[in-house]
């Protein structure tokens, strides 16, 4: 008689033995691999000659100074290229200092700038830096015609007086011109040899996607776009030689993993947006230095001109007064953001010319709430998802409004959509909170972009009548007085409210020198690696 | 067989065409301005307008769509708006990274699923523990599992690396772009071992969920087939239990299991997108993630089309394998 096999009979001892043997083999293989595996232990910080830094966030734009218009890209461009002038590193005021130009003069009619060029400078391909390079670099900026090209829009001619003197002529006086040259996004000097030999049909843009042709202290080595960039010290650099001969810059979007890497001593520094909690964690770690540095990046409230609730200047003024800036920033950003009373980035203009004059009044919205204008409505606060403080500030602001009797909600917008809000203001949120930075430390560079509809950052398309003409006129002036009047006009419109200055945040291992000198007021989360050294 | 493959290729072309229409439609509806991402946040309205013209965004959507389609027919995936380099070039380095991770994940899923099934069917004493571990792992979201894995195996134990593909740079030492294989082909055992070490955590985290799904289907198949008439006959004829398992139970359970493997392989690709971001794996998922952030339509479309091809090819392979495993099946 044949019996049906039961499941129990389907597990004879021999089979079980084989399964166990197989499991043992797998375990043994795993142990063997463990033995062969490279060490991941944090036995030492990246040592001696190599500086390992992780940049939090995404960055994939070519490190081409005439194309790049992204803050993170400055970590490569500012270390490999130089302009004629620059803003002083390590200074909390925007002071223009010589770089590849040792001196300059401006003609009486403010139309001609004459630069004396530094001698003994070579590009990374060995080409000497002369007036020809200046001419070629200005020409390329115009030819490529990307985002930063507007900075040389007024230039009508660049002429070599001799090998080491060059004259730049403008179509009209422009008090912001030197600032545009000093801007991190300003014209950088590029080897004319490379521009000629690698021109192709795109002004050498293809070549400069993974190579450099500058004069900076570092050369661009291996590049894996969007993942890692290696910089190596240029041994013929005209200035002080960098202590770190190699910089390994990698990108990561996983802040937790990067924090572990830093704590385990596998990297030397983290650049990029860290939140308040992480910053406090880092600060409490004795092996790490967490520090901030002044920056012109400014948290700004943008009002929708078509908002049903905030149509009038009075209502917008009431809203601004109801924002408890100090408390909001303290609770959401801590040391990472400092409240500001100025409209323009703090310190760009003297406070006597630029003061928003907004006093916090917890009852400011009471009459608005009581008027019933917001009945049945929810105030929508948009913020840029990519902004480090956008969500925190929008949420806190929403809570403030709600407690004042005006229900509010915060909405995240991607980088690709927030700039399109102005196309359909009826559907746009009532308020947008976003941190923005100027290209240069000149009021014109800030005001024209934020407060005029032609500017890229006037995200709500609000307009102050006559402001463009005022800005044009101010460019011709020899002092800052006209900008005081411009500040007042913008402040009185109540379409914009600057609430805080974001601080550059740098987390490094302890025992590193030169951190402050490696940072610049105009560059957010950027390090000039040549200034760094070991204690 | 040839007709079957031709039909599959035709259906693949249909799928890809539908994908391009869907992607283009979504791009139009999203309201995202690729020119803004291309030219930078602070760019003036004039610069923005010039860029729109330069990128052809001033043209009607239908014109842009057929331009894109025309390029596609010539193998041109266009230039990425993000990197300014050809999308095909970017994908040619990202794809091998994803293939390597996917193959290891799938391989691990098969091994774990098989162990799970065999231990369950044979009622091994420790099967309950294995089941609890696998089911717990499969119940957790992949991203959470990966994060916890990082915290424990890298942060606490220091056993596994924090991320990336290799400690030896981003260039593979061989022709395939698969670090383990290329390392072995080039005689660089250190590169291959290091690559395996980088693969373990992400592959294991991605593999757990498919392993359970595959294991469950295999368990059902094995249970049915182990008590079937032909298994009983084989035993009565004196065939050892191990051979009964292999020749009668496993083989006859393969059809449904292969179907499940096909489904899980497709789903696994979705899981990779998240895991790649967490462990900084430079694959197609990371490429897609960055492209989405930059509103880079050519990049997004390139990845979608590539994954569409992979999905169709995978299903075709599974169908062919099913026929090979069970001759009673006919390709149709």
């Amino acid at each position: 008689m044949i019996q049906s096999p039961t499941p129990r009979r389907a597990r004879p001892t021999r089979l079980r033995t084989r399964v166990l043997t197989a499991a043992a083999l797998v375990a043994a293989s795993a142990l063997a691999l463990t033995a062969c595996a490279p060490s991941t232990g944090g036995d030492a910080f990246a040592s001696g000659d190599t500086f390992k830094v992780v940049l939090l966030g995404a960055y994939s734009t070519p490190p081409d100074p005439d194309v790049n218009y992204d803050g993170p890209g400055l970590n490569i461009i500012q270390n490999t290229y130089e302009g004629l002038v620059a803003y002083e590193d390590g200074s909390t005021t925007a002071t223009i200092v010589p770089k590849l130009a040792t001196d300059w003069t401006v003609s009486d009619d403010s139309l001609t700038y004459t630069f004396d060029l530094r001698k003994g400078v070579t590009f990374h391909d060995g080409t000497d830096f002369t007036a020809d390079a200046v001419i070629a670099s200005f020409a390329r900026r115009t030819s490529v015609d990307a985002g930063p090209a507007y900075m040389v829009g007024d230039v009508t001619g660049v002429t070599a007086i001799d090998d080491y003197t060059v004259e730049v002529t403008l179509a009209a006086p422009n008090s912001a011109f030197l600032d545009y040259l000093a801007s991190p996004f300003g014209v950088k000097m590029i080897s004319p040899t490379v521009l000629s030999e690698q021109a192709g049909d795109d002004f050498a843009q293809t070549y400069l996607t993974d190579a450099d042709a500058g004069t900076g202290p570092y050369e661009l080595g291996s590049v894996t776009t969007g993942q890692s960039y290696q910089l190596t010290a240029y041994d013929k650099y005209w200035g002080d030689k960098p202590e770190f001969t190699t910089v390994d810059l990698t990108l990561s979007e996983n802040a937790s993993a990067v924090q572990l890497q830093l704590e385990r001593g596998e990297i030397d520094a983290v650049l990029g947006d860290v939140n308040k909690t992480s910053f406090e964690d880092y600060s409490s770690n004795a092996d790490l230095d967490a520090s901030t540095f002044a920056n012109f990046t400014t948290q700004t409230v943008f009002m929708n001109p078509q908002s049903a609730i905030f149509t009038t200047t009075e209502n917008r003024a009431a809203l601004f007064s109801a924002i408890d800036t100090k408390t909001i920033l303290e609770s959401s950003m801590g040391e990472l953001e400092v409240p500001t009373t100025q409209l323009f980035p703090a310190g760009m203009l003297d406070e006597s010319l630029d003061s928003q004059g907004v006093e916090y009044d917890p009852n400011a919205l009471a009459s608005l709430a009581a008027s019933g204008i917001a009945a049945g409505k929810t105030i929508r606060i948009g913020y840029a998802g990519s902004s480090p403080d956008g969500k925190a500030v929008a949420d806190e602001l929403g809570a403030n409004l709600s407690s004042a009797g005006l229900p509010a909600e915060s909405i995240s917008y991607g980088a690709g959509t927030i700039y399109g809000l102005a196309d359909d203001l009826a559907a746009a949120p009532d308020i947008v909170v976003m941190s923005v930075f100027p290209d240069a430390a000149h009021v014109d560079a800030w005001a024209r972009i934020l407060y005029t509809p032609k500017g890229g950052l006037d995200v709500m398309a609000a307009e102050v009548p006559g402001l463009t003409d005022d800005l044009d006129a101010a460019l011709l002036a020899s002092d800052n007085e006209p900008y005081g009047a411009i500040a007042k006009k913008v402040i009185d419109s109540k379409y914009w409210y600057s609430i805080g200055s974001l601080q550059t945040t740098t987390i490094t291992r302890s025992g590193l020198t030169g951190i402050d000198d490696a940072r610049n007021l105009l560059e957010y989360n950027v390090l000039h690696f040549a200034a760094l050294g070991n204690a | 067989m040839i007709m079957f493959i031709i039909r599959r290729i035709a259906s693949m072309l249909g799928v890809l065409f539908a994908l391009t229409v869907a992607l283009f439609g979504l791009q139009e509806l999203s309201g995202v301005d690729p020119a803004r991402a291309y030219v930078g946040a602070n760019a003036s309205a004039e610069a923005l307008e010039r860029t729109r013209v330069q990128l052809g965004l001033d043209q009607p959507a239908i014109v842009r769509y057929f331009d894109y389609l025309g390029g596609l027919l010539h193998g041109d995936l266009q230039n990425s708006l993000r990197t300014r380099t050809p999308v095909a070039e970017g994908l040619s380095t990202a794809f091998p990274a994803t293939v390597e991770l996917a193959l290891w994940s799938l391989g691990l899923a098969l091994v774990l699923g098989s162990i799970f099934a065999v231990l369950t069917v044979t009622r091994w004493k420790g099967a309950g523990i294995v089941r609890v571990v696998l089911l717990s792992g499969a119940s957790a979201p992949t991203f959470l599992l990966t994060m916890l894995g990082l915290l424990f195996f890298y942060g606490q134990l220091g056993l596994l690396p924090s991320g990336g593909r290799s400690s030896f740079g981003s260039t593979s030492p061989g022709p395939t772009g698969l670090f383990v294989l290329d390392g072995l082909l080039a005689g660089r055992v250190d590169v291959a071992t290091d690559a395996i070490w980088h693969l373990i955590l992400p592959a294991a985290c991605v593999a757990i969920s498919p392993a359970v799904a595959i294991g469950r289907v295999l368990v059902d198949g094995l249970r049915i087939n182990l008590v079937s008439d032909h298994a009983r006959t084989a035993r009565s004829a004196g065939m050892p239990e191990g051979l009964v398992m292999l020749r009668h139970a496993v083989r006859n359970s393969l059809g449904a299991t292969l179907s499940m493997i096909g489904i899980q392989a497709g789903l696994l690709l979705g899981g990779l997108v998240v895991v790649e971001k967490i462990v900084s794996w430079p694959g197609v998922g990371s490429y897609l993630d960055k492209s989405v952030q930059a509103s880079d339509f050519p990049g997004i479309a390139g990845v979608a089309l590539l994954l569409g091809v992979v999905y169709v090819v995978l299903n075709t392979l599974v169908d062919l394998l099913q026929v090979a495993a069970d001759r009673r099946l006919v390709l149709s």
Side-chain angles (χ1 to χ4, degrees):
Chain A
M1 183 180 171
I2 300 173
Q3 288 182 323
S4 296
T6 63
R8 181 170 291 279
R9 289 179 65 186
R11 52 177 184 89
T13 309
R14 280 176 65 193
L15 182 59
R16 194 165 58 191
T17 308
R18 286 180 189 176
V19 169
L20 286 172
T21 307
L25 280 172
V26 169
S29 307
L31 285 172
L33 274 171
T34 311
C36 297
S39 167
T40 61
D43 46 348
F45 279 108
S47 60
D49 296 341
T50 301
F51 186 73
K52 293 186 176 178
V53 55
V54 173
L55 182 59
L56 287 173
Y59 161 71
S60 336
T61 313
D64 178 335
D66 292 326
V67 172
N68 179 72
Y69 212 14
D70 288 335
L74 295 175
N75 276 297
I76 299 163
I77 287 167
Q78 291 293 75
N79 285 291
T80 50
Y81 291 91
E82 293 168 313
L84 295 177
V85 291
Y87 290 112
E88 188 177 14
D89 291 336
S91 171
T92 53
T93 55
T95 310
I96 294 175
V97 294
K99 205 70 180 178
L100 292 181
T102 53
D103 200 6
W104 57 91
T105 55
V106 186
S107 65
D108 290 341
D109 59 4
S110 300
L111 290 175
T112 306
Y113 288 70
T114 306
F115 295 94
D116 296 334
L117 305 184
R118 192 177 294 280
K119 292 174 181 161
V121 176
T122 56
F123 288 97
H124 298 157
D125 67 336
T127 303
D128 286 332
F129 170 65
T130 62
D132 288 343
V134 182
I135 295 168
S137 301
F138 271 79
R140 183 176 189 264
R141 173 64 61 113
T142 308
S143 303
V144 169
D145 200 19
Y150 80 94
M151 296 182 189
V152 294
D154 281 348
V155 175
T156 55
V158 184
T159 317
I161 306 299
D162 58 44
D163 274 358
Y164 293 99
T165 312
V166 73
E167 207 172 75
V168 180
T169 315
L170 305 184
N174 184 341
S175 61
F177 182 64
L178 265 185
D179 283 275
Y180 282 134
L181 288 188
S183 161
F185 300 101
V187 179
K188 298 288 186 270
M189 297 302 113
I190 306 176
S191 164
T193 312
V194 168
L195 291 183
S196 163
E197 290 177 355
Q198 305 291 341
D201 58 0
D202 61 359
F203 312 103
Q205 285 186 71
T206 302
Y207 177 79
L208 292 179
T209 53
D210 56 5
D212 88 281
T215 61
Y218 285 96
E219 295 180 81
L220 189 55
S222 63
V223 172
T224 307
T225 301
Q227 294 170 39
S228 62
Y229 301 81
Q230 190 176 65
L231 306 179
T232 53
Y234 178 47
D235 55 11
K236 291 180 185 160
Y237 182 59
W238 60 270
D240 294 337
K241 302 285 183 288
E243 184 170 329
F244 292 111
T245 53
T246 305
V247 175
D248 286 334
L249 177 73
T250 53
L251 285 111
S252 174
E253 295 193 61
N254 186 348
S256 306
V258 172
Q259 183 166 352
L260 289 174
Q261 281 180 287
L262 191 61
E263 286 170 356
R264 292 182 60 79
E266 292 180 5
I267 56 173
D268 294 288
V270 178
L271 290 170
D273 299 322
V274 294
N275 60 33
K276 180 191 170 196
T277 312
S278 294
F279 184 77
E280 287 167 354
D281 278 353
Y282 283 127
S283 301
S284 62
N285 188 328
D287 293 329
L288 305 175
D289 281 340
S291 61
T292 59
F293 191 78
N295 193 267
F296 270 166
T297 303
T298 303
Q299 180 82 237
T300 304
V301 174
F302 297 79
M303 300 301 299
N304 184 342
Q306 291 185 18
S307 162
I309 302 166
F310 300 108
T311 319
T312 64
T313 312
E314 291 71 30
N315 286 359
R316 294 195 292 274
L319 174 73
F320 290 173
S321 294
I323 299 175
D324 186 0
T325 308
K326 192 166 176 289
T327 307
I328 286 176
L329 293 185
E330 252 174 29
S331 62
S332 60
M333 298 300 289
E335 288 178 57
L336 308 180
E337 190 166 340
V338 180
T340 182
T341 56
Q342 295 193 268
L343 175 73
F344 303 131
M348 188 181 266
L349 205 60
D350 191 85
E351 206 149 356
S352 62
L353 296 171
D354 169 22
S355 176
Q356 297 182 108
V358 177
E359 294 291 331
Y360 171 56
D361 174 6
N363 300 314
L365 289 172
S367 59
L368 191 62
S371 72
I373 191 171
K377 295 188 178 113
T378 299
I379 296 169
R380 292 182 301 139
I381 308 168
Y383 64 90
S386 58
S387 174
D389 47 358
K391 178 171 171 46
V393 173
D395 286 347
E396 291 284 345
L397 179 56
N400 261 18
L401 289 170
S402 296
S403 62
L406 296 167
E409 62 176 3
S410 52
I411 309 160
S412 173
Y413 287 90
T417 50
I418 199 158
Y419 302 109
L421 292 176
D423 296 337
D424 186 7
L425 285 176
D430 302 276
I431 305 165
V432 163
V433 181
M434 194 164 76
S435 52
V436 285
F437 63 91
D439 288 343
H442 193 281
V443 176
D444 188 77
W446 177 266
R448 210 173 281 273
I449 288 175
L450 257 83
Y451 310 135
T452 67
K454 283 190 173 183
L457 293 177
D458 188 8
V459 291
M460 289 296 199
E463 194 169 1
V464 178
L467 196 73
T468 304
D469 293 339
D470 293 344
L471 285 167
D472 289 342
L475 278 179
L476 308 176
S478 55
D479 59 28
N480 282 330
E481 290 297 326
Y483 290 115
I486 286 170
K488 186 171 183 321
K489 262 189 167 182
V490 176
I491 290 166
D492 288 347
S493 77
K494 303 293 179 193
Y495 282 128
W496 299 271
Y497 180 34
S498 301
I499 61 172
S501 302
L502 272 158
Q503 307 289 288
T504 282
T505 312
T506 316
I507 318 293
T508 64
R509 61 173 167 87
S510 55
L512 210 60
T513 60
I515 288 288
D516 278 352
D517 288 339
R519 300 187 280 198
N520 193 291
L521 184 63
L522 268 291
E523 298 163 22
Y524 186 63
N525 292 335
V526 174
L527 282 180
H528 293 204
F529 303 115
L532 298 174
N534 286 310
Chain B
M1 170 83 82
I2 292 171
M3 282 310 293
F4 171 77
I5 293 175
I6 290 172
R7 275 199 299 274
R8 277 304 171 95
I9 291 173
S11 75
M12 181 171 77
L13 292 176
V15 167
L16 296 183
F17 177 73
L19 260 177
T20 60
V21 174
L23 286 166
F24 221 85
L26 286 172
Q27 161 83 3
E28 286 303 303
L29 290 174
S30 70
V32 168
D33 185 359
R36 170 60 70 180
Y38 188 86
V39 79
N42 287 11
S44 64
E46 289 92 347
L48 197 61
E49 203 45 50
R50 281 199 306 274
T51 305
R52 285 204 180 102
V53 174
Q54 184 192 337
L55 298 176
L57 297 170
D58 57 330
Q59 299 291 317
I62 192 78
V63 174
R64 282 186 282 123
Y65 175 71
F66 281 107
D67 277 352
Y68 180 74
L69 212 56
L72 214 56
L73 292 175
H74 292 93
D76 178 13
L77 291 172
Q78 293 193 344
N79 271 19
S80 158
L81 302 181
R82 176 172 63 88
T83 65
R84 323 281 167 105
T85 54
V87 170
E89 191 181 303
L91 291 180
S92 70
T93 55
F95 188 54
T98 296
V99 167
E100 186 164 43
L101 182 53
L103 286 177
W104 278 77
S105 303
L106 196 58
L108 207 54
L110 292 180
V111 170
L112 289 173
S114 303
I115 291 174
F116 171 71
V118 172
L119 292 183
T120 304
V121 168
T122 58
R123 294 194 177 176
W124 182 61
K125 279 181 186 168
I129 298 169
V130 175
R131 194 162 51 238
V132 167
V133 169
L134 285 177
L135 285 175
S136 305
S139 306
T142 308
F143 79 88
L144 184 63
L145 209 57
T146 314
M147 286 301 302
L148 291 174
L150 265 182
L151 287 172
F152 186 67
F153 290 106
Y154 170 69
Q156 292 297 317
L157 302 181
L159 277 176
L160 297 174
S162 62
R165 228 185 140 191
S166 170
S167 310
F168 293 88
S170 54
T171 310
S172 179
T176 67
L178 309 178
F179 273 66
V180 177
L181 181 61
D182 287 345
L184 293 174
L185 289 175
R188 295 285 308 274
V189 179
D190 53 343
V191 173
T193 315
D194 176 77
I196 292 173
W197 222 242
H198 282 80
L199 276 160
I200 288 175
L201 180 66
C205 293
V206 173
I208 285 188
S209 189
V212 171
I214 293 165
R216 278 177 167 163
V217 172
L218 192 56
V219 165
D220 288 346
L222 290 177
R223 276 186 174 150
I224 291 167
N225 284 297
L226 278 173
V227 296
S228 64
D229 289 346
H230 52 272
R232 201 167 52 210
T233 308
R235 273 191 207 97
S236 64
M239 184 179 279
E241 191 61 29
L243 276 182
V244 173
M245 173 75 90
L246 278 176
R247 287 192 186 165
H248 295 287
V250 172
R251 180 155 191 175
N252 286 314
S253 307
L254 275 182
T257 309
L258 281 171
S259 288
M260 180 52 76
I261 291 170
I263 293 167
Q264 290 301 320
L267 294 174
L268 181 143
L269 291 175
L272 286 180
V273 174
V274 179
V275 170
E276 282 187 0
K277 182 171 177 175
I278 295 172
V279 298
S280 303
W281 193 266
V284 170
S286 292
Y287 191 91
L288 176 65
D289 176 56
K290 288 169 187 162
S291 299
V292 169
Q293 286 183 47
S295 312
D296 177 9
F297 174 74
I300 297 167
V303 172
L305 293 174
L306 179 65
L307 292 183
V309 171
V310 168
Y311 201 83
V312 175
V313 168
L314 268 177
N315 280 300
T316 307
L317 277 177
V318 168
D319 285 349
L320 293 173
L321 283 172
Q322 276 183 311
V323 172
D326 187 346
R327 298 290 162 82
R328 292 168 301 180
L329 294 175
V330 180
L331 291 171
S332 61

